[in-house]
């Protein structure tokens, strides 16, 4: 089954011209399994629709005392029951499969887009919007495909019953065929208002989620300045907006749900009353009357299924519109197939035009910045994470082998340059899974852990979990049970295993004690021998082992030298030793 192949090797290239075209593209991507589900849905619903006809024939045979015909009818009911059960099981299994596959494909598209955009994503669209897309919109997309097989079965069963009714009683057939358009006319006008209110609710929910994310991220700062109540009031107001929008949506939805019950009920009552009148007039037999009763009771199922499908497809269109918005975002400069050609060892591999920094290939370069924010923005530029304002780069981009980073194909750039944040993120799982990243094969896991001085972290996790292999120790979400220094060392081990051509480390030892930092400085240079490494730090222990140290100061030309040579410079000494500049 398809579920065994999830996640998909390639989710494909979606059609983003409209929500309808996007949903149609998803259907085409899984047309085989979807077609099989429709066939099972038709068989399942048709078997149910045939039971009243067989029961009616059995009653009529009993009235005529035709025991043989009664026996055949009983056998037919048993066969129909078996077909209905088997088809129902398979229809449900395939419905779940199509639901999960469509949702998973959509989620992979969003994840791929987030990976391609990098830091551009949060600058172009609110974080809360992305969270809402992955949390609710993806599920609604799956729901549209879940109902498709039942909808097909409902339509076929309804048409079949209408044909039988027309053949038996033209009046009843005409009522059934005429009732559906009236049903659609009553429900149809509610779909557009529901879509608009669903869309408005999604907007307010995204704003509330964004505000909650910002508040949680800045909670420590808010407590420091006493701003908790201010943001709490803002969140209360945003929550009330969500409540009002939800009530507005619920009003239309409740009306739709009530019509979903009332209209089929009225329809059934009308058909039953007409059938009873025809039986009294002698226009139809007792067996046919029994069949009519069964069909009218059964018609509630396909009619409600058709209404449910309309509701879910409306919600799916709203969700698809939000997803298309995210998938349509582009980087500040559209990446092409640019593949920079590497030059020889010692030549500049990276150049930052804002600071004038040149990073030599194959060397360990330490960059000293007096302002941590300047260092953070420099690391982002070197990695190709360029700030975007109004769809254009907010500042100059770094060059990789003479090519602007936004013009380099994302997969090429990410495979060549790796940036490790000063506050790295560790995902939950085992240490082995943490270190299972794309790699060159030059640095093994054990060597990387040793170079990052992280053996004690692995031993602590192993003892905590009672495992034999240190790599089997488990990490909690974001590594919250570890100290800041332990997280930094495990993240460094992960970066060393990846062994990129260019590794940019932003304050990799800011939370590590001096003894461990000294060991890290020695081993980092050894394990990265022949590779390009950029360390943004003002730690003398790291600067001592760098091949080249560059002092970067906004508005001034960079100063290049060794750590000991630059100590004679007052500006450098004031940053590194925290002495006042004379």
């Amino acid at each position: 089954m398809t579920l065994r192949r999830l996640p998909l090797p390639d989710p494909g290239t979606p059609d983003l011209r409209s929500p309808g075209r996007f949903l149609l593209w998803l259907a085409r991507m899984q047309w085989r399994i979807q077609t099989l589900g429709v066939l099972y849905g038709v068989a399942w619903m048709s078997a149910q629709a045939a039971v009243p006809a067989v029961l009616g024939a059995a009653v009529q045979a009993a009235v005529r005392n035709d025991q043989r015909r009664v026996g055949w009818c009983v056998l037919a009911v048993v066969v129909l029951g078996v077909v209905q059960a088997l088809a129902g099981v398979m229809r449900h299994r395939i419905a779940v499969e199509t639901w999960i596959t469509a949702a998973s494909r959509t989620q992979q598209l969003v994840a791929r887009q987030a990976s391609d955009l990098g830091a551009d994503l949060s600058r172009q669209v609110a974080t809360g919007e992305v969270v809402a897309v992955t949390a609710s919109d993806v599920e609604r997309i799956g729901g549209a495909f879940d109902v498709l097989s039942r909808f097909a079965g409902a339509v076929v069963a309804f048409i079949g019953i209408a044909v039988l009714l027309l053949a038996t009683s033209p009046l009843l057939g005409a009522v059934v065929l005429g009732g559906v358009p009236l049903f659609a006319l009553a429900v149809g006008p509610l779909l557009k208002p529901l879509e608009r209110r669903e869309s408005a609710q999604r907007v307010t929910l995204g704003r509330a989620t964004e505000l909650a994310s910002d508040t949680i991220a800045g909670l420590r700062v808010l407590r420091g300045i006493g701003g908790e109540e201010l943001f709490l009031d803002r969140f209360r107001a945003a929550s009330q907006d969500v409540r009002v929008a939800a009530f507005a949506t619920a009003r239309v939805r409740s009306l739709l749900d009530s019509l979903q019950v009332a209209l089929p009920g009225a329809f059934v009552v009308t058909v039953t009353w007409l059938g009873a009148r025809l039986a009294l007039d002698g226009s139809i037999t007792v067996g046919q009357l029994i069949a009519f009763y069964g069909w009218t009771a059964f018609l509630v199922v396909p009619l409600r299924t058709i209404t449910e499908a309309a509701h879910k497809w409306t919600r799916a269109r709203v969700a698809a519109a939000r997803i298309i918005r995210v998938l349509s975002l582009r980087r500040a400069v559209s990446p092409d197939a640019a593949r920079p050609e590497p030059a020889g060892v010692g030549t500049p591999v990276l150049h930052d035009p804002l600071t004038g920094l040149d990073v030599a290939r194959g060397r360990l370069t330490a960059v000293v910045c007096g302002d941590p924010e300047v260092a953070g923005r420099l690391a982002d530029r070197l990695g190709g994470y360029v700030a975007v304002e109004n769809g254009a780069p907010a500042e100059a981009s770094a060059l990789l082998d003479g090519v602007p980073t936004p013009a380099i194909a994302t997969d090429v750039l990410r495979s060549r340059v790796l940036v490790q944040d000063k506050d790295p993120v560790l995902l939950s799982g085992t240490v082995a899974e943490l270190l299972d990243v794309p790699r060159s094969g030059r640095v093994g896991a054990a060597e990387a852990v040793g170079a990052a001085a992280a053996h004690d972290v692995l031993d602590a996790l192993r003892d905590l979990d009672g495992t034999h292999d240190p790599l089997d120790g488990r990490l909690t979400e974001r590594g919250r049970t570890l100290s800041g220094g332990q997280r930094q060392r495990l993240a460094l081990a992960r970066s060393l295993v990846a062994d990129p051509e260019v590794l940019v480390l932003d304050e990799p030892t800011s939370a590590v004690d001096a003894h461990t930092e000294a060991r890290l400085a020695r081993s980092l240079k050894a394990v990265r021998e022949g590779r390009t490494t950029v360390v943004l730090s003002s730690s003398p222990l790291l600067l001592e082992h760098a091949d080249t140290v560059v002092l970067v100061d906004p508005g001034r030309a960079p100063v290049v030298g060794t750590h000991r040579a630059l100590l004679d410079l007052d500006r450098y000494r004031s940053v590194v030793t925290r002495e006042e500049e004379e």
Side-chain angles (χ1 to χ4, degrees), residues 226-292:
E228 303 104 305
E229 287 300 324
L230 174 62
F231 271 79
L232 183 59
D233 290 341
R234 290 182 182 177
F235 184 71
R236 284 197 185 105
S239 299
Q240 290 303 310
D241 290 340
V242 173
R243 181 183 65 82
V244 171
F247 281 174
T249 303
R251 290 190 189 98
V252 180
R253 189 181 300 166
S254 61
L255 181 57
L256 185 63
D257 290 343
S258 63
L259 290 176
Q260 185 176 340
V261 175
L263 292 179
F267 184 73
V268 168
V269 169
T270 302
V271 174
T272 303
W273 179 77
L274 281 175
R277 291 294 301 271
L278 292 173
L280 290 174
D281 293 342
S283 302
I284 60 175
T285 65
V286 174
Q288 289 173 332
L289 178 61
I290 297 297
F292 286 166

Side-chain angles (χ1 to χ4, degrees), residues 165-175:
L165 287 175
L166 277 173
T168 307
S169 171
L171 177 60
L172 280 177
V175 170

